[in-house]
């Protein structure tokens, strides 16, 4: 009986010792002082928070862009991504009307570049960086992952992103960018500022997730369905689309488990 007691005590102590611990560092600038050049708005908005495991190594990372129509919103670490043995980077970026396109996309690329350049300092694996976000954030994730020129500015190949996982993001040109040009929000445009303009066979794995087509923002499911079809047409073999039945535009809660499942799938594939 005494042996059993000590065995249970040892197992309990080992379990406590083996628990993953996490730390958050906030308001890290992802531009250098030279790149900011006294721009107060850039210094204020172009910051990120990183939540990461402190006693693990070679973990995956999600770069998360908030929504808000490119004109609002604040960085945050999604609760459903916490304590999952991964790092999460919540990003702020400059907003309309203080800036116009493609500044939002350039900021998103700079934040992802920071992740590639810095995640190993926190113990992460830079071959396991996933880019995601909701609504406007999903649009930004798709743009920097599909139009390679934005990350190329930082000498990073967008194909090194482990996976793109936009939640309910525009695949046509964003309605705020259309507004900047005096185009009605109900007029669909596909130009160089549309993810659909940059469909390509060699892109990273792409997991598209939207709300219910009958409850989503105007045409959002259909845009993503067209993106899926065109990616397959050009020969991309890893594009998947999920529609969250019964959920509207705020469909993040049921989508996070799909994101985590995709991270696990790709991580296991890379580690084979």
């Amino acid at each position: 009986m005494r042996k059993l007691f000590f065995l249970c005590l040892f197992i309990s102590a080992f379990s406590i010792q083996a628990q993953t611990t996490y730390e958050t560092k906030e308001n890290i600038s992802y531009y250098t002082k030279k790149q900011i050049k006294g721009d107060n708005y850039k210094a204020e908005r172009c910051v990120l928070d990183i939540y990461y495991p402190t006693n693990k190594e070679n973990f995956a990372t999600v770069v998360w862009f908030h929504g808000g129509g490119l004109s609002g919103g604040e960085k945050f670490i999604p609760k459903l991504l916490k304590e999952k043995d991964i790092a999460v980077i919540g990003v702020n970026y400059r907003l309309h009307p203080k800036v116009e396109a493609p500044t939002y996309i350039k900021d998103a690329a700079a934040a992802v570049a920071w992740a590639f350049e810095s995640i190993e300092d926190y113990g992460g694996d830079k071959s396991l960086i996933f880019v995601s976000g909701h609504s406007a954030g999903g649009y930004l994730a798709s743009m920097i992952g599909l139009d390679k020129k934005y990350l190329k500015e930082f000498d990073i190949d967008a194909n090194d992103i482990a996976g793109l996982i936009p939640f309910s993001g525009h695949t046509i040109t964003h309605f705020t960018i259309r507004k900047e040009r005096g185009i009605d929000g109900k007029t669909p445009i596909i130009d160089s500022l549309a993810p659909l303009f940059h469909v390509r066979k060699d892109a990273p794995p792409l997991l598209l997730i939207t709300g219910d087509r009958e409850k989503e923002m105007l045409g959002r499911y259909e845009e993503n369905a067209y993106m899926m079809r065109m990616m397959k047409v050009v020969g991309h073999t890893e594009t998947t689309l999920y529609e969250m039945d019964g959920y509207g535009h705020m469909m993040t809660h049921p989508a996070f488990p799909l994101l985590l499942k995709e991270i696990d799938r790709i991580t296991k594939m890379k580690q084979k």
Side-chain angles (χ1 to χ4, degrees), residues 166-201:
F167 289 15
S168 194
H170 266 310
T171 69
I172 63 174
T173 302
H174 196 281
F175 65 78
T176 295
I177 298 173
R178 282 177 272 159
K179 177 182 176 181
E180 291 171 359
R181 299 172 179 179
I183 300 170
D184 186 270
K186 295 183 177 65
T187 302
I189 300 293
I190 298 173
D191 60 14
S192 63
L193 291 174
L196 261 166
F197 191 85
H198 304 282
V199 295
R200 53 190 178 85
K201 180 179 180 179

Side-chain angles (χ1 to χ4, degrees), residues 34-54:
K34 184 178 180 180
Q35 290 168 329
I36 292 172
K37 294 179 181 177
D39 183 331
N40 291 335
Y41 185 55
K42 192 174 186 180
E44 172 196 343
R45 285 295 304 181
C46 297
V47 293
L48 55 81
D49 298 343
I50 178 169
Y51 168 91
Y52 65 100
T54 58

Side-chain angles (χ1 to χ4, degrees), residues 1-242:
M1 191 72 174
R2 182 176 294 179
K3 289 181 179 179
L4 180 61
F5 170 77
F6 282 112
L7 178 62
C8 292
L9 190 64
F10 173 79
I11 291 171
S12 176
F14 179 79
S15 298
I16 292 171
Q17 188 177 21
Q19 285 181 347
T20 305
T21 57
Y22 298 87
E23 185 174 338
T24 302
K25 292 188 177 180
E26 299 180 337
N27 295 320
I28 301 168
S29 176
Y30 52 82
Y31 283 118
T32 65
K33 289 182 179 179
K34 184 178 180 180
Q35 290 168 329
I36 292 172
K37 294 179 181 177
D39 183 331
N40 291 335
Y41 185 55
K42 192 174 186 180
E44 172 196 343
R45 285 295 304 181
C46 297
V47 293
L48 55 81
D49 298 343
I50 178 169
Y51 168 91
Y52 65 100
T54 58
N55 57 346
K56 289 183 70 70
E57 291 185 349
N58 301 317
F59 46 79
T61 299
V62 176
V63 181
W64 177 260
F65 295 107
H66 66 79
L70 300 178
S71 60
E74 290 291 329
K75 60 181 168 58
F76 67 100
I77 307 296
K79 289 182 180 179
L80 291 178
L81 297 183
K82 290 185 174 182
E83 298 184 358
K84 303 297 182 184
D85 291 334
I86 62 172
V88 186
I89 296 174
V91 182
N92 267 355
Y93 47 90
R94 286 172 286 178
L95 300 170
H96 175 88
K98 288 189 176 182
V99 299
E100 294 187 349
T103 300
Y104 327 105
I105 307 166
K106 290 181 176 181
D107 286 351
V112 171
W114 182 93
F116 273 98
E117 293 162 1
S118 305
I119 198 61
E120 289 182 342
D121 295 338
Y122 295 85
D125 184 342
K126 70 177 182 180
S127 74
L128 292 173
I129 293 175
F130 296 80
V131 184
S132 186
H134 175 242
S135 194
Y139 165 79
L140 293 174
S142 296
M143 279 301 301
I144 62 101
L146 293 173
D147 186 348
K148 299 182 75 173
K149 74 179 183 184
Y150 293 103
L151 281 172
K152 189 177 180 181
E153 289 292 319
F154 300 92
D155 296 320
I156 293 170
D157 187 342
N159 286 1
D160 289 337
I161 295 171
L164 300 170
I165 312 173
F167 289 15
S168 194
H170 266 310
T171 69
I172 63 174
T173 302
H174 196 281
F175 65 78
T176 295
I177 298 173
R178 282 177 272 159
K179 177 182 176 181
E180 291 171 359
R181 299 172 179 179
I183 300 170
D184 186 270
K186 295 183 177 65
T187 302
I189 300 293
I190 298 173
D191 60 14
S192 63
L193 291 174
L196 261 166
F197 191 85
H198 304 282
V199 295
R200 53 190 178 85
K201 180 179 180 179
D202 63 334
L206 176 61
L207 175 60
L208 303 161
I209 311 175
T210 78
D212 189 315
R213 69 190 75 184
E214 300 300 334
K215 296 177 179 291
E216 259 286 8
M217 293 182 74
L218 180 65
R220 195 60 57 92
Y221 166 80
E222 289 79 5
E223 288 180 40
N224 281 264
Y226 188 45
M227 169 66 89
M228 177 194 69
R229 177 56 53 203
M230 296 312 296
M231 288 293 281
K232 290 182 180 296
V233 166
V234 299
H236 191 263
T237 59
E238 289 193 273
T239 298
T240 305
L241 170 63
Y242 283 105

